[in-house]
Amino acid sequence: MEFFLPISYLNDFVFCPYSIYLHQVYDNNFTDTYSAKPQEQGKRVHSKVDRPHLKNSKRILSGAYVISNRLGVYGKIDQYYLKERKLVERKYNLKKIFRGYYYQIWAQYLALEEMGHPVDSLYFQSIKKNERVEVEKPNSEELNELRTHIKTIARFDFENEIKINPQKCTHCIYASLCDKTNKDHVYA
Ligand code: SF4
């Protein structure tokens, strides 16, 4: 059976592999229990632009699902500007562009192109500051890095390979529910 990973895992795994496990355990049942302020703010803004009347307009594909058979990933894009061939990934508060963010947008870009939508430029947008930052498309070395990252997640032993970074726990929305730490997150 073919195995596809959600694109969101590419960033979650960089932050903490165990968060993927907890995401699966709690996501469908207790979202309100663990959601912290940044996630709630992000969700509110995303839900506004994900409304059906804004989806698939003549100018922008918003909140559309994409899939890449070559990479073995699927997920939602934020915004794809059809005429400008521009892909935008929004974060509520974009203080830094983490490596996991790059993996996400690279995977979205490759999936879009595989589905017949050419992409000329990639952007991250800070919703809070209403600012956009253009980033380069991945070169061949970075594409290999992305493929290796996906393989690492697919083969990861979530039972035995978990290493805990307590500093990350304080910024993790699952901290209050996580059995690997006694810390609570700073958003409580
Ligand atoms: S609380 Fe810590 S160990 Fe648990 S998922 Fe979050 S970052 Fe990982």
Side-chain angles (χ1 to χ4, degrees):
M1 194 177 78
E2 261 185 292
F3 182 62
F4 284 81
L5 287 178
I7 288 174
S8 60
Y9 281 16
L10 306 186
N11 178 48
D12 292 347
F13 188 83
V14 174
F15 180 73
C16 172
Y18 199 58
S19 71
I20 291 178
Y21 169 76
L22 291 179
H23 187 103
Q24 288 174 333
V25 170
Y26 292 111
D27 201 38
N28 294 328
N29 302 305
F30 306 111
T31 306
D32 292 342
T33 312
Y34 66 77
S35 284
K37 268 187 205 156
Q39 283 68 32
E40 288 304 321
Q41 285 165 328
K43 266 191 241 159
R44 274 199 295 278
V45 180
H46 275 257
S47 69
K48 279 185 195 158
V49 296
D50 286 349
R51 282 179 195 149
H53 71 276
L54 286 176
K55 277 185 184 173
N56 306 332
S57 73
K58 283 184 181 161
R59 285 185 52 240
I60 308 171
L61 269 182
S62 186
Y65 274 99
V66 293
I67 185 161
S68 167
N69 288 305
R70 287 185 201 134
L71 289 176
V73 296
Y74 70 94
K76 265 185 177 182
I77 57 158
D78 254 349
Q79 293 179 322
Y80 172 67
Y81 289 73
L82 293 151
K83 194 171 160 214
E84 299 91 338
R85 300 174 167 192
K86 191 164 79 179
L87 175 62
V88 180
E89 166 69 15
R90 292 160 311 140
K91 302 288 180 193
Y92 180 71
N93 194 6
L94 188 70
K95 287 182 183 160
K96 181 180 169 187
I97 304 177
F98 295 101
R99 203 60 176 163
Y101 293 180
Y102 281 103
Y103 293 147
Q104 278 184 302
I105 203 167
W106 293 346
Q108 292 169 6
Y109 147 60
L110 292 171
L112 265 173
E113 292 225 319
E114 206 178 305
M115 293 171 74
H117 297 289
V119 178
D120 287 344
S121 51
L122 309 178
Y123 290 84
F124 286 102
Q125 178 173 348
S126 163
I127 295 168
K128 193 175 174 187
K129 292 187 179 166
N130 196 22
E131 282 174 3
R132 274 190 193 162
V133 183
E134 185 172 5
V135 293
E136 294 290 321
K137 290 202 275 185
N139 58 33
S140 57
E141 207 173 294
E142 288 166 332
L143 288 177
N144 281 338
E145 182 185 326
L146 174 64
R147 289 189 200 101
T148 304
H149 184 60
I150 292 167
K151 276 186 203 149
T152 304
I153 300 172
R155 293 171 186 161
F156 193 76
D157 179 355
F158 285 87
E159 300 280 315
N160 297 312
E161 290 185 48
I162 304 288
K163 289 194 185 82
I164 306 305
N165 176 345
Q167 286 205 318
K168 287 192 174 180
C169 297
T170 57
H171 293 278
C172 176
I173 57 168
Y174 302 106
S176 53
L177 302 166
C178 181
D179 56 315
K180 305 283 184 196
T181 181
N182 293 322
K183 291 181 182 292
D184 201 354
H185 57 62
V186 294
Y187 313 112

